[in-house]
Amino acid sequence: MDHNKTETLKRIISEGSSYRSLFFNHPDAIYVMDIKGNHIDANPSFERLSGYKIEELAGVSRDRISPPESENRRVQFIEDVLAGRSVSEAMAFYHKDGSVKHAQVTYIPITEGDDVVGIYGIAKDVTDKVIIEQELQQTQEKYQVLAEHAQDLITTCAIDGELLYVSPSVRALLGYEPEEVAGKSFKSYCYPGDYPDPLLISNIGHGCKMRVLHKDGHYIWMETLAKPVTGEHGKITQIVSISRDITQQKDADRRLRESRERYKSLFEYNPAAVYSLDLEGNYSAVNSNMVQMLDIPRSKLIGQSFLSNLDKRERQKGETGFELVKQGKPQYYETRVVNSSGRKIEVSVTNVPIIIDNEVVGVYGIVSDITERKEYTERIQELSKQHELILNTVTEGIYGLDADGITMFMNPAAASMFGYEAHEFIGKSSHPIIHHTRADGSYFPKEECPIHMTVLDGHARSVTEDVFWRKDGSSFLVQYQVTPIIDEGQIRGAVVVFNDVTGEREIVRAKETAELAAQAKSEFLSRVSHEIRTPMNGIVGMTELLVGTDLSEEQREYAQIIQESGDALLNILNDILDFSKLESGKMALAFEPFSLRKMLEQVAELFKPRADEKHLDIRFRLNPNIPDYMAGDSMRIRQILVNLVGNALKFTDQGSIDVTVDIIKGSKPEDSVLDFAVQDTGIGIPADKQDQLFQSFSQLHPVINRKYGGTGLGLVISKRLVEIMGGSISVESTEGEGSVFRFAIPTTRVEASGEKSASEFQHDRTRQSDKVAMRILVAEDHPVNRKILQEYLEKLGYEADVCTNGVEAIDAISQNAYDIVLMDIHMPVMDGLKATNLLHRLIPEDRIPPIIAVTGNSRREDKEACLEIGMRDFISKPVMLSELKRVLQQWGPSDEPRIGPS
């Protein structure tokens, strides 16, 4: 039957000349298929569209002609046509060259009587149209993504200002949901008078600035760029705009204007003479007081060299100072100027560089007339000579200050009690030298000092008990009287008369007071430590996890800044706690064997990344005669070494850092002294500042403090640690060339044995535990800390059960066999210490897994309490991934015996 239909189809095709003409000349592909879908005939356009001749198709498999989806649809369409229905739809097909083409295909039944004997196929090439539509769709999708994720506000407005589209960034910028403002007029959100003509701003290349109403009621400044969207005949139908929040820019502009006005006021109305110089030393600007002092018109001063106004004998000093300030070094000195009438004026000069883009472009100067003050000082000094004999014979300490708090004179008794030579004290402010700290160790602000207050208000004061500080850093109790020096109704300074009243009663009372204060401070800091370490655990832990994820370069930079800031805050917290322990006398020392070589390797590894970043060579040298193992407090020795190397790295920008360790053998074979030296090529320390290095909270210069940071406690802690271990510390430094810090610690040599050392055994444990699966329980009530521990464990390849209090922990350990338990100390219902104590009472010892304390307290006594109650080790918050790994390696399953905490 099918054969007959095919023959009938061929006959129909061959008949009709008009049909054949249309068939061969039609621009669309026309082809004939039998009822099975086989191609019987096709016009030339079919070959142009498909690349195949009709006779070639018989030998080509269908998967080379049509994609699977198109082929399935073709089969369905043939069934529909055989049922008498025409079908038309776009389909994809493969060209002979393998490229994908698209055609609008129409199938029409060919009938003979009531029978469908074949199918007409008409294919119109729509490839270009489909490609254009696809590109348009991709463009629209990209635009949609851009609009949905842009931080700037993207809107589409009608010509009348109606908002047709508002991007989601409107939430962050203005507080609205997009659907709240869509359909409303943009003008209703603009500050009255700010709303521009939409057609006008669309033609302004630089955009316009306006104030836009935030949902909470205030206005923010926004800069808007707009472009028109044209329809038929070039008519503008919509306005697309991008708006950016420039509130901060506006505030910055306002602050800049205010700053300029303040500078102008400071320059012109300063009570001192103020000027600026170009790099040739010529005046580029002067204020009215400068004109008045020199009695030279401003127009003549501008362009004139400042040297022309100096006394001839002072010009060399002026040239030297000017050359230094051109190198970026501020200069402060006294000199003498001569005005137009020949009057000589004694002045103090402050010259500072004007720096723009790291380049000195000029010099800013302030000149104050000190003629009267110098004359007065000279009179005081003359008077001092007359009374020098009296001052030299009295036993009370006496020193005098000028109106600026600068020491003018000091008698031998005072110098002796302070431990200074008189010339070291005179000419300097006394407060930061001998009165900087109260008896309880807290900072003594100058503004609260009775001596300073007398210099300011002229009222005599008597203090029965206070503390002065010697050059060597020690303190002594004093009783003093401060009396103002008043001349012609003006306060010219003050005289301080004091006695050393340190006695047995005073010493005992001061000691008790200090101990009570230190104890209260230590307890307070311990509580604060725990409270700070809990959120710090979240910050440091989550940041470490975040850095380990797939981040963009910008996100990674921000995350690393958070990580570095968290580490810095943690270091500050540790410094303060160590300082508190040292102050209260509660710093306990350990005495155990340690490998000095491995300690140095750890320190080198710690600082290598930072040294590489700064392109510095950092070298460690160990005397080969030093035994493999020494006995002492390795943790504290390492802390001192880390402090000194960290400081050297901080203050060195080029060159190298050398750490050397030597040994000085004692009279007994087992007794020795380890001699450490940390040498750098950094900025060095001025000679007159070196005595402040080991004072509490001491930072040598505000500029250095701002550039390098720090609490000022590192060297204080190091000095006290060295001293309580029976050693000494010193410094040698040359400003601009570098420093050498040395400290010596008594230690005891340990004879090597055939047994493994504790550290060697723990490396063995690392290799074994890496291969052992563990069942772990985490007992932690704080959700953030719990999350961090779980994430850390997952990074290390472990899963853990969790509970939120001590009761749940006891229940879990009673019912399950855990290899290790991480137990928080402070939990609701029952804390970790009580839970551990009960476990040792309720469960046989061989069934109790190693319990590791997780605590925000870092005091040694707190950690000792954990060990005494039956815990095996401890981790301080914030928990570090490396510390958690150490605990798992040390206490995880193993056939070897376990050792105590390192």
Side-chain angles (χ1 to χ4, degrees), residues 562-677:
I562 297 172
Q563 188 177 45
E564 292 168 2
S565 300
D567 292 342
L569 182 58
L570 186 59
N571 289 335
I572 292 172
L573 179 62
N574 290 335
D575 277 353
I576 294 173
L577 291 175
D578 281 347
F579 181 73
S580 173
K581 294 176 193 175
L582 289 165
E583 287 286 290
S584 62
K586 294 184 178 180
M587 178 66 78
L589 297 177
F591 192 79
E592 57 190 9
F594 69 95
S595 169
L596 184 59
R597 185 175 302 279
K598 289 186 178 179
M599 177 195 293
L600 291 181
E601 290 174 354
Q602 292 170 355
V603 175
E605 183 178 357
L606 175 65
F607 289 107
K608 185 179 185 304
R610 181 69 191 283
D612 291 344
E613 181 181 333
K614 297 184 73 173
H615 305 293
L616 296 175
D617 291 329
I618 181 167
R619 299 182 289 260
F620 290 79
R621 297 185 179 91
L622 182 67
N623 187 322
N625 294 326
I626 297 177
D628 290 339
Y629 288 92
M630 306 292 288
D633 193 326
S634 61
M635 182 176 71
R636 296 305 176 191
I637 296 175
R638 182 181 186 274
Q639 182 177 356
I640 298 166
L641 201 56
V642 167
N643 272 342
L644 297 182
V645 176
N647 273 353
L649 194 58
K650 181 193 300 185
F651 295 109
T652 302
D653 292 324
Q654 59 184 2
S656 61
I657 297 169
D658 290 283
V659 180
T660 58
V661 188
D662 207 343
I663 187 168
I664 303 172
K665 296 182 180 179
S667 56
K668 296 181 181 179
E670 66 273 12
D671 293 336
S672 303
V673 174
L674 288 178
D675 186 38
F676 296 82

Side-chain angles (χ1 to χ4, degrees), residues 236-295:
I236 297 176
T237 59
Q238 295 178 354
I239 303 293
V240 177
S241 63
I242 300 177
S243 302
R244 175 167 296 175
D245 184 351
I246 60 169
T247 305
Q248 292 184 348
Q249 177 185 333
K250 279 284 187 179
D251 290 342
D253 290 342
R254 176 180 54 79
R255 288 195 298 271
L256 179 60
R257 290 194 301 272
E258 292 175 353
S259 176
R260 287 172 177 168
E261 289 301 318
R262 284 195 298 269
Y263 170 77
K264 181 179 179 182
S265 298
L266 177 65
F267 187 90
E268 187 57 38
Y269 301 112
N270 196 305
V274 184
Y275 59 87
S276 62
L277 305 174
D278 60 24
L279 293 180
E280 300 300 322
N282 300 320
Y283 292 111
S284 56
V286 294
N287 72 348
S288 56
N289 283 335
M290 189 72 179
V291 171
Q292 183 178 353
M293 175 183 285
L294 297 177
D295 194 21

Side-chain angles (χ1 to χ4, degrees), residues 336-599:
R336 187 180 306 108
V337 298
V338 182
N339 68 7
S340 62
S341 61
R343 176 174 171 258
K344 295 183 179 181
I345 306 169
E346 301 290 336
V347 294
S348 67
V349 177
T350 298
N351 278 340
V352 295
I354 302 173
I355 300 176
I356 299 177
D357 295 332
N358 295 321
E359 181 180 356
V360 177
V361 297
V363 175
Y364 186 79
I366 300 176
V367 177
S368 298
D369 186 343
I370 60 169
T371 305
E372 184 178 353
R373 191 187 82 185
K374 289 204 71 170
E375 291 174 352
Y376 178 77
T377 302
E378 289 171 359
R379 290 200 301 271
I380 293 294
Q381 290 173 345
E382 182 63 30
L383 182 63
S384 297
K385 291 179 182 178
Q386 298 174 7
H387 296 284
E388 185 176 357
L389 181 61
I390 298 174
L391 290 174
N392 289 346
T393 57
V394 297
T395 58
E396 291 87 354
I398 303 174
Y399 66 95
L401 308 174
D402 65 13
D404 295 324
I406 304 300
T407 306
M408 298 185 296
F409 64 89
M410 172 180 289
N411 74 339
S416 176
M417 282 187 272
F418 287 136
Y420 287 93
E421 296 292 333
H423 68 83
E424 296 180 276
F425 211 100
I426 294 173
K428 298 179 181 177
S429 176
S430 64
H431 185 82
I433 300 176
I434 53 94
H435 215 189
H436 48 75
T437 305
R438 290 190 171 95
D440 62 1
S442 63
Y443 172 66
F444 197 168
K446 183 178 181 180
E447 293 75 19
E448 300 176 14
C449 171
I451 300 171
H452 177 70
M453 293 166 66
T454 295
V455 172
L456 292 179
D457 60 22
H459 295 299
R461 289 175 171 81
S462 180
V463 179
T464 58
E465 188 174 292
D466 203 345
V467 169
F468 282 170
W469 295 83
R470 298 186 181 92
K471 182 178 181 179
D472 63 6
S474 61
S475 63
F476 60 102
L477 288 174
V478 293
Q479 171 184 308
Y480 64 86
Q481 177 78 28
V482 53
T483 305
I485 302 172
I486 299 178
D487 182 30
E488 297 180 355
Q490 297 293 319
I491 302 172
R492 306 297 185 182
V495 173
V496 181
V497 180
F498 67 93
N499 287 293
D500 184 346
V501 296
T502 305
E504 190 64 30
R505 179 180 60 81
E506 288 78 7
I507 294 175
V508 171
R509 186 174 63 186
K511 180 176 181 294
E512 290 174 349
T513 301
E515 287 176 348
L516 289 174
Q519 181 179 355
K521 181 170 65 175
S522 178
E523 292 174 356
F524 171 75
L525 287 175
S526 177
R527 290 195 298 271
V528 170
S529 168
H530 181 268
E531 295 303 320
I532 292 178
R533 285 176 183 274
T534 295
M536 278 296 294
N537 190 40
I539 295 171
V540 174
M542 284 300 183
T543 304
E544 185 169 4
L545 290 172
L546 179 61
V547 170
T549 62
D550 186 13
L551 301 175
S552 69
E553 183 176 348
E554 183 179 26
Q555 291 169 333
R556 183 168 301 280
E557 179 183 359
Y558 293 164
Q560 287 173 343
I561 290 173
I562 297 172
Q563 188 177 45
E564 292 168 2
S565 300
D567 292 342
L569 182 58
L570 186 59
N571 289 335
I572 292 172
L573 179 62
N574 290 335
D575 277 353
I576 294 173
L577 291 175
D578 281 347
F579 181 73
S580 173
K581 294 176 193 175
L582 289 165
E583 287 286 290
S584 62
K586 294 184 178 180
M587 178 66 78
L589 297 177
F591 192 79
E592 57 190 9
F594 69 95
S595 169
L596 184 59
R597 185 175 302 279
K598 289 186 178 179
M599 177 195 293

